[in-house]
Amino acid sequence: SLQARYMHFGGLNLPATEKLPGKPVVITLNDDTIIEGYLIKEKETKDEIVVMQKRGESTIERSVKKSDVKSIEEKE
């Protein structure tokens, strides 16, 4: 019963603190939608950026067109 908390998928292999790649940013879109996440990379076409967002225990990658971006501010 002492090891029961480790019986979920990947429980023994998780690092103590998970550092997400990229720099933390706050992106404001032209329609004033705010996206907080980690700026991963620019797409090869250079007209999109990829932002990684943390959702609970998982992460998602979201592509955003540069033409839809009003501003990108680095988050501390």
Side-chain angles (χ1 to χ4, degrees):
S1 66
L2 294 175
Q3 294 180 357
R5 64 181 178 170
Y6 296 110
M7 291 300 151
H8 62 281
F9 178 74
L12 296 176
N13 296 327
L14 293 177
T17 56
E18 179 184 344
K19 184 176 182 222
L20 295 174
K23 64 180 178 179
V25 293
V26 176
I27 299 173
T28 305
L29 301 179
N30 291 330
D31 64 355
D32 292 328
T33 301
I34 295 176
I35 301 171
E36 292 188 36
Y38 295 83
L39 185 61
I40 303 293
K41 60 184 174 182
E42 295 182 8
K43 289 269 187 170
E44 293 169 2
T45 59
K46 303 272 187 201
D47 62 345
E48 289 186 344
I49 57 174
V50 178
V51 178
M52 180 178 282
Q53 294 179 295
K54 189 140 173 80
R55 301 278 189 212
E57 294 295 319
S58 62
T59 58
I60 61 168
E61 288 186 10
R62 181 174 177 180
S63 294
V64 179
K65 290 184 179 180
K66 283 187 177 180
S67 61
D68 294 339
V69 175
K70 183 190 285 185
S71 67
I72 300 176
E73 299 175 15
E74 196 166 336
K75 185 178 174 182
E76 294 182 23

